[in-house]
Amino acid sequence: MRLSRYFLPILKETPKEAEIVSHRLMLRAGMIRQQSAGIYAWLPLGHRVLNKIQRIVEEEQNRSGAVQLLMPTIQPADLWRESGRYDAYGKEMLRIEDRHEREMLFGPTNEEMITDIFRSYVRSYKDLPLNLYHIQWKFRDEVRPRFGVMRGREFLMKDAYSFDLDKERSTEAYRRMFVAYLRTFARMGLTAIPMKADTGPIGGDLSHEFIVLASTGESEVFLDKDILDLPIPGEDTDFDGDLSGIIEQWTTPYAATDEMHDEAAFGAVAEDKKVSARGIEVGHIFHFGTKYSEPMGAKVMTAEGKEVPVQMGSYGIGVSRLLGAIIEACHDDDGIIWPKEVAPFHVGLINMKAGSECDEVCESVYAELEKAGVEVLYDDRKTSAGQKFASMDLIGLPYQLVVGPRGLKTGEVEVKDRATGDREMLTPEAAVNKLI
Ligand SMILES: Nc1ncnc2c1ncn2[C@@H]1O[C@H](COS(=O)(=O)NC(=O)[C@@H](N)CS)[C@@H](O)[C@H]1O
């Protein structure tokens, strides 16, 4: 992509309303623009990252056996009356009336709607287990939206819903999602710790939050340091097999949010292993049995000919929140440092002197890299080299390939690794080969 033909409204100064670094950097790097409180336009650079995060989430949901669909954002109030949540949900729910004065709402979550879809088609235990998920915009009228996309009013969520015949099988569905979450966040370059959590308005009796440690996190957490060194389940994990060992491994070391913290149990952790920190909740999974299937009549016929309400769970990931969480975990004083898997582009190509002999080398390197499928953002603007370096460091692409008159005197260009700061002088060919 040539920067001269892109749309990247980088801000020079730090917006005063931004209180945390991820909010500041997303605004300055031209990734989002607030359209109203807690509601953002996703500008091209931010949208590219959002799509990459979404793809990783989809890949790991699919690997675990979940099936993707897409439900609407606008829901009929009647569905929420069936579950009894319409009034209970409170002021966070954006209630709408259509032209026929029908009561609607902008969905804050989809337990009722997915249960309605399920009950319309599934009648037999033979159709189970089933896990249906979508990635869809939600609206929650937060009384105090803040920290940019971290606590928005309109936000993108992956929400999955599992349907099983009995508690034991529903627990297996819960374990599949637990393992899928471990893989998902690790692939984004994050360390997200599963912690026993409160069930809140979603309900149920079993819940874990996945927390990314960050000093600006809203959650206060307590954990045994050993949990930070556990291995992430591999690509070859058998999701149809027994995952209880992995769950056991990840739920043995102490880890709890402040709502669930047990000072006595934490006392048993060796002093040098105790960590109390702040964290960002990037995912939250729940088992809530028949809380929705009972009142909404989502039942299946068992092998013995008995009708039973299905056992359910729901599993959320804050897809748009993850951009903020990743930046909180991956930045320095010069800007963002994107993990390779979610970076908007792989290489930032900097032409230090547009209109000089640098142009020709840039064009050939750009063509080579693009042909090899490397995503390049080529800063071909007629601005100063200093501005180009500052912008490239701010937007945080993993590599910079710098073409300058001095380097070209010895037939060399410079490759910089944004994360380590390492610089290397190479011939253009060697630089291209290094970056493919
Ligand atoms: N206001 C918000 N802004 C951005 N992300 C949010 C917001 N509220 C929740 N999230 C993200 O969405 C995830 C799931 O939200 S939740 O309320 O915990 N769970 C549910 O809604 C369940 N229906 C899971 S399917 C959270 O872990 C968090 O990462």
Side-chain angles (χ1 to χ4, degrees):
M1 174 61 70
R2 295 171 192 277
L3 200 45
S4 59
R5 298 190 198 149
Y6 198 52
F7 178 58
L8 182 61
I10 281 178
L11 301 182
K12 292 259 176 308
E13 69 294 330
T14 297
K16 59 192 174 315
E17 78 273 13
E19 296 166 69
I20 62 172
V21 64
S22 59
H23 189 192
R24 275 199 300 277
L25 292 176
M26 289 183 80
L27 291 170
R28 285 197 52 216
M31 295 177 67
I32 55 171
R33 180 174 186 277
Q34 179 170 311
Q35 298 302 126
S36 61
I39 299 177
Y40 291 87
W42 290 82
L43 305 176
L45 198 70
H47 186 247
R48 264 181 98 94
V49 179
L50 196 63
N51 282 343
K52 300 229 168 154
I53 289 174
Q54 189 164 323
R55 207 164 307 137
I56 291 174
V57 171
E58 287 169 349
E59 284 170 6
E60 294 308 323
Q61 290 293 296
N62 299 343
R63 189 193 311 275
S64 77
V67 178
Q68 188 168 23
L69 49 72
L70 181 62
M71 289 178 268
T73 53
I74 304 300
Q75 305 183 19
D78 292 346
L79 270 187
W80 286 67
R81 287 200 177 91
E82 286 191 55
S83 70
R85 279 210 297 183
Y86 188 58
D87 298 321
Y89 210 85
K91 296 176 81 66
E92 275 196 0
M93 179 175 279
L94 182 62
R95 300 164 201 267
I96 311 163
E97 203 164 272
D98 72 8
R99 62 185 302 170
H100 303 298
E101 294 173 15
R102 277 187 291 246
E103 289 176 296
M104 315 287 286
L105 59 100
F106 192 130
T109 182
N110 283 64
E111 278 81 3
E112 286 78 1
M113 186 173 279
I114 195 69
T115 303
D116 176 46
I117 291 171
F118 176 88
R119 70 180 174 186
S120 308
Y121 302 103
V122 182
R123 294 279 186 286
S124 163
Y125 75 99
K126 292 175 186 161
D127 301 320
L128 302 180
L130 187 59
N131 180 328
L132 298 170
Y133 81 94
H134 71 158
I135 298 180
Q136 181 56 288
W137 293 95
K138 303 289 189 292
F139 195 92
R140 293 183 187 178
D141 205 351
E142 300 276 350
V143 64
R144 194 169 157 243
R146 57 188 184 144
F147 297 165
V149 299
M150 206 73 89
R151 179 161 293 282
R153 291 199 294 165
E154 183 182 71
F155 60 97
L156 190 58
M157 184 200 289
K158 181 285 296 181
D159 34 321
Y161 302 89
S162 61
F163 302 87
D164 288 277
L165 180 58
D166 53 35
K167 179 84 190 297
E168 176 48 36
R169 289 180 176 85
S170 191
T171 305
E172 288 163 9
Y174 187 92
R175 290 183 188 134
R176 284 193 288 275
M177 285 284 97
F178 189 105
V179 173
Y181 277 43
L182 291 176
R183 287 191 43 77
T184 301
F185 301 121
R187 283 188 57 189
M188 297 175 192
L190 289 176
T191 301
I193 313 293
M195 300 192 173
K196 262 191 90 51
D198 192 10
T199 53
I202 305 289
D205 56 3
L206 172 61
S207 172
H208 283 85
E209 285 180 15
F210 287 73
I211 303 274
V212 172
L213 300 188
S215 56
T216 52
E218 289 188 320
S219 311
E220 190 182 5
V221 297
F222 304 86
L223 54 94
D224 175 336
K225 203 161 61 169
D226 286 351
I227 202 166
L228 299 172
D229 305 324
L230 292 176
I232 300 296
E235 268 187 7
D236 58 353
T237 299
D238 176 9
F239 281 91
D240 294 327
D242 177 3
L243 299 173
S244 58
I246 297 175
I247 309 305
E248 180 70 25
Q249 188 185 33
W250 280 86
T251 51
T252 300
Y254 188 90
T257 58
D258 47 358
E259 296 114 346
M260 306 297 279
H261 182 46
D262 173 346
E263 197 53 52
F266 195 45
V269 176
E271 275 313 310
D272 64 333
K273 301 270 187 185
K274 275 183 185 168
V275 173
S276 58
R278 302 203 67 80
I280 302 166
E281 177 201 317
V282 292
H284 198 159
I285 62 177
F286 305 79
H287 173 270
F288 44 67
T290 59
K291 176 176 177 187
Y292 300 92
S293 55
E294 186 85 66
M296 296 183 70
K299 300 189 285 278
V300 292
M301 193 65 79
T302 67
E304 298 71 37
K306 218 161 61 70
E307 266 205 332
V308 295
V310 287
Q311 292 283 328
M312 291 177 62
S314 70
Y315 314 86
I317 288 181
V319 174
S320 51
R321 176 178 284 186
L322 273 164
L323 276 96
I326 291 169
I327 294 172
E328 290 297 326
C330 310
H331 70 272
D332 64 12
D333 292 344
D334 296 328
I336 302 165
I337 302 176
W338 289 114
K340 290 178 182 51
E341 283 239 8
V342 296
F345 295 92
H346 195 64
V347 178
L349 172 58
I350 295 175
N351 181 343
M352 283 183 71
K353 200 171 176 198
S356 74
E357 72 280 18
C358 298
D359 294 2
E360 192 185 332
V361 174
C362 284
E363 288 300 331
S364 70
V365 163
Y366 179 54
E368 284 293 301
L369 288 170
E370 288 272 313
K371 200 163 60 182
V374 177
E375 293 173 282
V376 183
L377 183 63
Y378 171 18
D379 191 343
D380 60 345
R381 297 171 302 165
K382 297 202 176 350
T383 56
S384 75
Q387 268 180 316
K388 295 187 179 184
F389 288 131
S391 299
M392 224 34 109
D393 283 345
L394 171 64
I395 68 174
L397 305 185
Y399 294 99
Q400 294 170 21
L401 201 167
V402 183
V403 180
R406 195 146 30 91
L408 288 187
K409 284 200 173 38
T410 55
E412 290 179 313
V413 297
E414 182 183 72
V415 173
K416 175 178 158 185
D417 179 320
R418 176 67 182 84
T420 63
D422 294 346
R423 298 164 182 279
E424 213 180 338
M425 295 306 289
L426 298 163
T427 63
E429 296 71 24
V432 167
N433 290 331
K434 176 184 175 64
L435 294 170
I436 286 180

